[in-house]
Coordinates of all heavy atoms in Angstrom, one line a residue:
M1 N -117.2 56.8 63.9 CA -116.7 56.2 65.2 C -115.2 56.5 65.3 O -114.4 56.3 64.4 CB -117.0 54.7 65.1 CG -116.6 54.0 66.4 SD -117.1 52.3 66.3 CE -117.0 51.9 67.9
K2 N -114.9 56.9 66.5 CA -113.5 57.2 66.8 C -112.8 56.0 67.3 O -113.3 55.2 68.0 CB -113.4 58.3 67.8 CG -113.9 59.6 67.3 CD -113.8 60.7 68.3 CE -114.5 61.9 67.8 NZ -114.1 63.2 68.4
R3 N -111.5 55.8 66.9 CA -110.7 54.7 67.3 C -109.4 55.2 68.0 O -108.9 56.3 67.6 CB -110.3 53.9 66.1 CG -111.4 53.2 65.5 CD -110.8 52.4 64.3 NE -111.8 51.4 63.9 CZ -111.6 50.4 63.1 NH1 -110.4 50.3 62.5 NH2 -112.5 49.6 62.8
I4 N -109.0 54.5 69.0 CA -107.7 54.8 69.6 C -106.7 53.9 69.1 O -106.8 52.7 69.2 CB -107.8 54.7 71.2 CG1 -108.9 55.6 71.7 CG2 -106.5 55.0 71.8 CD1 -109.2 55.3 73.2
R5 N -105.7 54.5 68.5 CA -104.6 53.7 67.9 C -103.3 54.0 68.6 O -103.1 55.1 69.2 CB -104.4 54.1 66.4 CG -105.5 53.7 65.5 CD -105.2 52.4 64.9 NE -106.3 52.0 64.0 CZ -106.6 50.8 63.7 NH1 -106.0 49.8 64.2 NH2 -107.6 50.6 62.8
T6 N -102.4 53.1 68.5 CA -101.1 53.2 69.2 C -100.1 54.1 68.3 O -100.1 53.9 67.1 CB -100.4 51.8 69.3 OG1 -101.3 50.9 69.9 CG2 -99.2 51.9 70.2
N7 N -99.4 55.0 69.0 CA -98.3 55.7 68.4 C -97.2 54.7 68.5 O -96.5 54.7 69.5 CB -98.1 57.0 69.2 CG -96.9 57.8 68.6 OD1 -96.1 57.3 67.8 ND2 -96.8 59.0 69.0
T8 N -97.0 54.0 67.4 CA -96.1 52.8 67.4 C -94.7 53.1 67.9 O -94.2 52.5 68.8 CB -95.9 52.3 66.0 OG1 -97.3 51.9 65.5 CG2 -95.0 51.1 65.9
D9 N -94.0 54.2 67.4 CA -92.6 54.5 67.8 C -92.6 54.8 69.3 O -91.7 54.3 70.0 CB -92.1 55.6 67.0 CG -91.8 55.3 65.5 OD1 -91.8 54.1 65.2 OD2 -91.7 56.2 64.7
A10 N -93.5 55.6 69.8 CA -93.5 56.0 71.2 C -93.8 54.9 72.1 O -93.2 54.7 73.2 CB -94.5 57.2 71.4
F11 N -94.7 54.0 71.7 CA -95.1 52.9 72.5 C -93.9 51.9 72.7 O -93.6 51.5 73.8 CB -96.3 52.2 71.9 CG -96.9 51.2 72.8 CD1 -98.0 51.5 73.6 CD2 -96.5 49.8 72.8 CE1 -98.6 50.6 74.5 CE2 -97.1 48.9 73.6 CZ -98.1 49.3 74.5
V12 N -93.3 51.5 71.5 CA -92.2 50.6 71.6 C -91.0 51.2 72.4 O -90.4 50.5 73.2 CB -91.7 50.2 70.2 CG1 -90.4 49.3 70.2 CG2 -92.8 49.4 69.4
R13 N -90.7 52.5 72.2 CA -89.6 53.1 72.9 C -89.9 53.1 74.4 O -89.0 52.8 75.2 CB -89.5 54.6 72.4 CG -88.3 55.3 72.9 CD -88.0 56.6 72.2 NE -89.2 57.4 71.8 CZ -89.6 57.6 70.5 NH1 -88.9 57.1 69.5 NH2 -90.6 58.3 70.3
A14 N -91.1 53.4 74.8 CA -91.5 53.4 76.2 C -91.3 52.0 76.8 O -90.8 51.9 77.9 CB -92.9 53.9 76.4
R15 N -91.8 51.0 76.1 CA -91.7 49.6 76.6 C -90.2 49.2 76.8 O -89.8 48.7 77.8 CB -92.4 48.7 75.6 CG -92.2 47.2 76.1 CD -92.9 46.3 75.2 NE -92.6 46.3 73.8 CZ -91.4 45.7 73.3 NH1 -90.5 45.2 74.1 NH2 -91.2 45.8 72.0
V16 N -89.4 49.6 75.8 CA -88.0 49.2 75.8 C -87.3 50.0 76.9 O -86.4 49.4 77.7 CB -87.3 49.5 74.4 CG1 -85.8 49.3 74.5 CG2 -87.9 48.5 73.4
F17 N -87.6 51.3 77.1 CA -87.0 52.1 78.2 C -87.3 51.5 79.5 O -86.5 51.6 80.5 CB -87.4 53.5 78.1 CG -86.6 54.3 77.0 CD1 -87.2 55.4 76.5 CD2 -85.3 53.9 76.6 CE1 -86.5 56.2 75.5 CE2 -84.7 54.6 75.6 CZ -85.2 55.8 75.1
K18 N -88.5 50.9 79.7 CA -88.9 50.3 80.9 C -88.2 48.9 81.1 O -88.3 48.3 82.2 CB -90.4 50.1 81.0 CG -91.2 51.4 81.2 CD -91.1 51.9 82.6 CE -91.9 51.0 83.6 NZ -91.9 51.5 84.9
G19 N -87.5 48.4 80.1 CA -86.8 47.2 80.2 C -87.8 46.0 80.1 O -87.5 44.9 80.6
L20 N -88.9 46.2 79.4 CA -89.9 45.1 79.3 C -89.9 44.5 77.9 O -89.9 45.2 76.9 CB -91.3 45.7 79.6 CG -91.5 46.2 81.0 CD1 -92.9 46.9 81.1 CD2 -91.4 45.1 82.0
S21 N -90.1 43.2 77.8 CA -90.4 42.5 76.5 C -91.9 42.6 76.3 O -92.7 43.0 77.2 CB -90.0 41.1 76.6 OG -90.8 40.4 77.5
Q22 N -92.3 42.3 75.1 CA -93.8 42.2 74.8 C -94.4 41.3 75.8 O -95.5 41.6 76.3 CB -94.0 41.8 73.4 CG -93.7 42.9 72.4 CD -94.1 42.4 71.0 OE1 -94.3 41.3 70.7 NE2 -94.1 43.4 70.0
R23 N -93.8 40.1 76.0 CA -94.4 39.1 76.9 C -94.5 39.6 78.4 O -95.5 39.4 79.0 CB -93.5 37.9 76.9 CG -94.1 36.7 77.6 CD -93.3 35.4 77.4 NE -93.2 35.0 76.0 CZ -94.1 34.4 75.3 NH1 -95.2 34.0 75.9 NH2 -94.0 34.1 74.1
E24 N -93.5 40.4 78.8 CA -93.5 40.9 80.2 C -94.6 42.0 80.3 O -95.3 42.0 81.3 CB -92.1 41.5 80.6 CG -91.1 40.4 80.8 CD -89.7 40.9 80.8 OE1 -89.4 42.0 80.2 OE2 -88.8 40.3 81.5
L25 N -94.7 42.8 79.3 CA -95.7 43.9 79.4 C -97.1 43.2 79.3 O -98.0 43.6 80.1 CB -95.6 44.8 78.2 CG -96.6 46.0 78.1 CD1 -96.7 46.8 79.4 CD2 -96.4 46.8 76.9
A26 N -97.3 42.2 78.6 CA -98.5 41.5 78.5 C -98.9 40.9 79.8 O -100.0 41.0 80.3 CB -98.5 40.4 77.4
K27 N -97.9 40.3 80.5 CA -98.2 39.7 81.8 C -98.6 40.7 82.8 O -99.6 40.5 83.6 CB -96.9 38.9 82.3 CG -97.1 38.1 83.5 CD -95.9 37.3 83.8 CE -96.1 36.4 85.0 NZ -95.0 35.6 85.4
Q28 N -97.9 41.8 82.9 CA -98.2 42.9 83.8 C -99.6 43.6 83.5 O -100.2 44.0 84.5 CB -97.1 44.0 83.8 CG -95.8 43.5 84.4 CD -94.8 44.7 84.5 OE1 -95.2 45.8 84.4 NE2 -93.6 44.3 84.7
S29 N -100.0 43.6 82.3 CA -101.2 44.3 81.9 C -102.4 43.4 81.9 O -103.5 43.8 81.7 CB -101.0 45.0 80.6 OG -100.8 44.0 79.5
G30 N -102.1 42.1 81.9 CA -103.2 41.1 81.8 C -103.7 40.9 80.4 O -104.8 40.3 80.1
L31 N -102.9 41.3 79.4 CA -103.2 41.2 78.0 C -102.4 40.0 77.4 O -101.4 39.6 78.0 CB -103.0 42.5 77.2 CG -103.7 43.7 77.7 CD1 -103.2 45.0 77.1 CD2 -105.2 43.6 77.4
S32 N -102.7 39.6 76.2 CA -101.9 38.5 75.6 C -100.7 39.1 74.9 O -100.8 40.3 74.4 CB -102.8 37.7 74.6 OG -103.1 38.5 73.5
P33 N -99.6 38.4 74.8 CA -98.5 38.9 74.0 C -98.8 39.2 72.6 O -98.3 40.2 72.0 CB -97.5 37.7 74.1 CG -97.8 37.0 75.3 CD -99.3 37.1 75.4
S34 N -99.7 38.4 72.0 CA -100.1 38.6 70.6 C -100.9 40.0 70.4 O -100.7 40.7 69.5 CB -100.9 37.5 70.0 OG -102.1 37.3 70.7
Y35 N -101.7 40.3 71.4 CA -102.4 41.6 71.4 C -101.4 42.7 71.5 O -101.6 43.7 70.8 CB -103.5 41.6 72.5 CG -104.3 42.8 72.5 CD1 -105.3 43.0 71.5 CD2 -104.2 43.8 73.5 CE1 -106.1 44.1 71.5 CE2 -105.1 44.9 73.4 CZ -106.0 45.1 72.5 OH -106.8 46.2 72.4
I36 N -100.4 42.6 72.4 CA -99.4 43.7 72.5 C -98.7 43.9 71.2 O -98.5 45.0 70.7 CB -98.4 43.3 73.6 CG1 -99.1 43.3 75.0 CG2 -97.2 44.3 73.6 CD1 -99.6 44.6 75.6
S37 N -98.4 42.8 70.5 CA -97.8 42.8 69.2 C -98.6 43.6 68.2 O -98.2 44.4 67.4 CB -97.4 41.4 68.7 OG -96.9 41.5 67.4
L38 N -99.9 43.2 68.2 CA -100.9 43.9 67.3 C -101.0 45.4 67.6 O -101.0 46.2 66.7 CB -102.2 43.3 67.4 CG -102.4 41.8 66.8 CD1 -103.7 41.3 67.2 CD2 -102.1 41.8 65.3
L39 N -100.9 45.8 68.9 CA -101.0 47.2 69.2 C -99.7 47.9 68.8 O -99.8 49.0 68.2 CB -101.1 47.3 70.8 CG -102.4 47.0 71.4 CD1 -102.4 47.2 72.9 CD2 -103.6 47.8 70.8
E40 N -98.6 47.2 69.0 CA -97.3 47.9 68.6 C -97.2 48.1 67.1 O -96.5 49.0 66.6 CB -96.1 47.0 69.1 CG -95.9 47.2 70.6 CD -94.6 46.6 71.1 OE1 -93.8 46.1 70.3 OE2 -94.3 46.8 72.3
R41 N -97.9 47.3 66.3 CA -97.9 47.4 64.9 C -99.1 48.3 64.4 O -99.3 48.5 63.2 CB -97.9 46.1 64.2 CG -96.5 45.4 64.4 CD -96.5 44.0 63.7 NE -97.3 43.0 64.5 CZ -98.1 42.2 64.0 NH1 -98.3 42.1 62.7 NH2 -98.8 41.3 64.8
S42 N -99.9 48.8 65.4 CA -101.0 49.6 65.1 C -102.0 48.9 64.2 O -102.7 49.5 63.4 CB -100.6 50.9 64.5 OG -101.6 51.9 64.8
V43 N -102.1 47.5 64.3 CA -103.1 46.7 63.6 C -104.4 46.8 64.3 O -105.5 46.8 63.6 CB -102.6 45.3 63.5 CG1 -103.6 44.4 62.8 CG2 -101.3 45.2 62.7
K44 N -104.4 46.8 65.6 CA -105.7 46.8 66.4 C -105.8 48.1 67.1 O -104.9 48.8 67.4 CB -105.6 45.7 67.5 CG -105.9 44.4 67.1 CD -107.3 44.1 67.5 CE -107.7 42.7 67.5 NZ -109.0 42.5 67.1
S45 N -107.1 48.5 67.2 CA -107.3 49.7 68.1 C -107.5 49.2 69.5 O -107.5 48.0 69.8 CB -108.6 50.4 67.6 OG -109.7 49.6 67.7
V46 N -107.5 50.2 70.4 CA -107.5 49.8 71.9 C -108.6 50.6 72.6 O -108.9 51.7 72.1 CB -106.1 50.1 72.5 CG1 -105.7 51.6 72.4 CG2 -106.0 49.6 73.9
G47 N -109.2 50.0 73.6 CA -110.2 50.7 74.3 C -109.6 51.7 75.3 O -108.4 51.6 75.7
P48 N -110.4 52.6 75.8 CA -109.9 53.7 76.7 C -109.3 53.1 78.0 O -108.3 53.6 78.4 CB -111.1 54.5 77.0 CG -112.1 54.2 75.9 CD -111.8 52.9 75.4
G49 N -110.0 52.1 78.6 CA -109.5 51.5 79.8 C -108.1 50.9 79.6 O -107.2 51.0 80.5
T50 N -108.0 50.1 78.5 CA -106.7 49.4 78.3 C -105.6 50.5 78.0 O -104.5 50.3 78.4 CB -106.9 48.5 77.1 OG1 -107.9 47.5 77.4 CG2 -105.6 47.7 76.8
A51 N -105.9 51.5 77.2 CA -105.0 52.5 76.9 C -104.5 53.2 78.2 O -103.3 53.4 78.4 CB -105.6 53.6 76.0
K52 N -105.4 53.5 79.1 CA -105.0 54.1 80.4 C -104.1 53.2 81.2 O -103.1 53.6 81.7 CB -106.3 54.4 81.2 CG -106.0 55.2 82.4 CD -107.4 55.6 83.1 CE -107.2 56.5 84.2 NZ -106.4 56.0 85.3
K53 N -104.5 51.9 81.3 CA -103.7 50.9 82.0 C -102.3 50.8 81.4 O -101.3 50.8 82.2 CB -104.4 49.5 81.9 CG -103.6 48.5 82.7 CD -104.1 47.1 82.4 CE -105.5 46.9 83.1 NZ -105.9 45.5 82.9
L54 N -102.2 50.7 80.1 CA -100.8 50.6 79.5 C -100.0 51.9 79.7 O -98.8 51.8 79.9 CB -101.0 50.3 78.0 CG -101.5 48.9 77.7 CD1 -101.9 48.8 76.2 CD2 -100.4 47.9 78.0
S55 N -100.6 53.1 79.6 CA -99.9 54.3 79.8 C -99.4 54.4 81.2 O -98.3 54.9 81.5 CB -100.7 55.5 79.4 OG -101.8 55.7 80.3
E56 N -100.2 53.9 82.2 CA -99.7 53.9 83.6 C -98.6 52.9 83.8 O -97.6 53.3 84.5 CB -100.9 53.6 84.5 CG -101.9 54.7 84.6 CD -103.2 54.3 85.3 OE1 -103.4 53.1 85.7 OE2 -104.0 55.2 85.5
L57 N -98.7 51.7 83.2 CA -97.6 50.7 83.3 C -96.3 51.3 82.7 O -95.2 51.0 83.3 CB -98.0 49.4 82.7 CG -98.9 48.5 83.4 CD1 -99.4 47.4 82.6 CD2 -98.2 47.9 84.7
L58 N -96.4 52.0 81.6 CA -95.2 52.5 80.9 C -94.8 53.8 81.4 O -93.8 54.4 80.9 CB -95.5 52.5 79.4 CG -95.7 51.1 78.8 CD1 -96.1 51.2 77.3 CD2 -94.4 50.3 78.9
E59 N -95.6 54.4 82.3 CA -95.3 55.7 82.9 C -95.1 56.8 81.9 O -94.2 57.6 81.9 CB -94.1 55.6 83.8 CG -94.3 54.7 85.0 CD -93.0 54.5 85.9 OE1 -91.9 55.0 85.5 OE2 -93.2 53.9 86.9
Q60 N -96.1 56.8 80.9 CA -96.1 57.8 79.9 C -97.5 58.4 79.8 O -98.5 57.7 80.1 CB -95.8 57.2 78.5 CG -94.3 56.6 78.5 CD -93.3 57.7 78.4 OE1 -93.5 58.7 77.8 NE2 -92.3 57.6 79.2
P61 N -97.6 59.7 79.4 CA -99.0 60.2 79.2 C -99.7 59.5 78.1 O -99.1 59.1 77.1 CB -98.7 61.7 78.8 CG -97.2 61.9 78.7 CD -96.6 60.6 79.1
L62 N -101.0 59.4 78.2 CA -101.9 58.8 77.2 C -101.7 59.3 75.8 O -101.5 58.6 74.9 CB -103.4 59.0 77.6 CG -104.1 57.9 78.3 CD1 -105.4 58.4 78.8 CD2 -104.2 56.7 77.5
D63 N -101.6 60.7 75.7 CA -101.5 61.3 74.4 C -100.1 61.1 73.8 O -100.0 61.4 72.6 CB -102.0 62.7 74.4 CG -101.1 63.6 75.4 OD1 -100.3 63.1 76.1 OD2 -101.3 64.8 75.4
A64 N -99.2 60.6 74.5 CA -97.9 60.3 73.9 C -97.9 59.0 73.3 O -97.2 58.7 72.3 CB -96.8 60.4 75.0
L65 N -98.6 58.0 73.9 CA -98.6 56.6 73.4 C -99.8 56.3 72.4 O -99.7 55.4 71.7 CB -98.7 55.7 74.6 CG -97.6 55.7 75.6 CD1 -97.8 54.7 76.7 CD2 -96.3 55.5 74.9
F66 N -100.8 57.1 72.5 CA -102.0 56.8 71.7 C -102.5 58.0 71.0 O -102.4 59.1 71.4 CB -103.1 56.2 72.6 CG -102.7 55.0 73.3 CD1 -102.2 55.0 74.6 CD2 -102.7 53.7 72.7 CE1 -101.8 53.9 75.3 CE2 -102.3 52.6 73.3 CZ -101.9 52.7 74.6
V67 N -103.2 57.8 69.8 CA -103.8 58.9 69.0 C -105.2 58.5 68.8 O -105.6 57.3 68.6 CB -103.1 59.1 67.7 CG1 -101.7 59.7 67.9 CG2 -103.0 57.9 66.9
I68 N -106.1 59.5 68.7 CA -107.5 59.2 68.4 C -107.7 59.5 67.0 O -107.5 60.6 66.5 CB -108.5 60.1 69.3 CG1 -108.3 59.7 70.8 CG2 -109.9 59.9 68.9 CD1 -109.0 60.6 71.7
E69 N -108.2 58.5 66.2 CA -108.5 58.6 64.8 C -110.0 58.8 64.6 O -110.8 58.2 65.4 CB -108.1 57.4 64.0 CG -106.6 57.2 64.0 CD -106.2 56.0 63.2 OE1 -107.0 55.1 62.9 OE2 -105.0 55.9 62.8
Q70 N -110.4 59.5 63.6 CA -111.8 59.7 63.4 C -112.3 58.9 62.2 O -111.5 58.6 61.3 CB -112.2 61.1 63.2 CG -111.9 61.9 64.5 CD -112.5 63.3 64.4 OE1 -113.3 63.6 63.6 NE2 -112.0 64.2 65.3

């Protein structure tokens, strides 16, 4: 089963460049701040729809922010 994991450095950098805190990104995305924290530490995998939504909010390509693990 394939999992989508966060590219931690790129994700945090994109969020910071957008001027967003974890809490602000969570509010805009409809996710919890704790889930954003888990994603940033690559503790949790993410679904395709959520990955797409986050990449759009952060204005970054999907493959820059996320990697598919097998």
Side-chain angles (χ1 to χ4, degrees):
M1 181 178 196
K2 296 182 183 197
R3 293 179 162 192
I4 302 172
R5 293 267 185 206
T6 309
N7 178 346
T8 301
D9 292 341
F11 192 90
V12 173
R13 189 169 36 249
R15 178 178 58 74
V16 171
F17 282 154
K18 288 286 288 182
L20 298 171
S21 66
Q22 287 182 348
R23 187 172 301 279
E24 291 166 329
L25 179 58
K27 188 174 184 179
Q28 287 185 20
S29 64
L31 301 168
S32 72
S34 59
Y35 185 71
I36 297 293
S37 175
L38 291 171
L39 289 180
E40 286 193 356
R41 291 179 283 136
S42 206
V43 173
K44 277 261 199 218
S45 59
V46 63
T50 301
K52 186 175 188 300
K53 180 190 291 186
L54 289 168
S55 69
E56 289 170 356
L57 281 170
L58 295 173
E59 298 177 351
Q60 294 291 316
L62 263 171
D63 60 353
L65 298 180
F66 301 98
V67 293
I68 298 174
E69 292 181 345
Q70 296 191 17

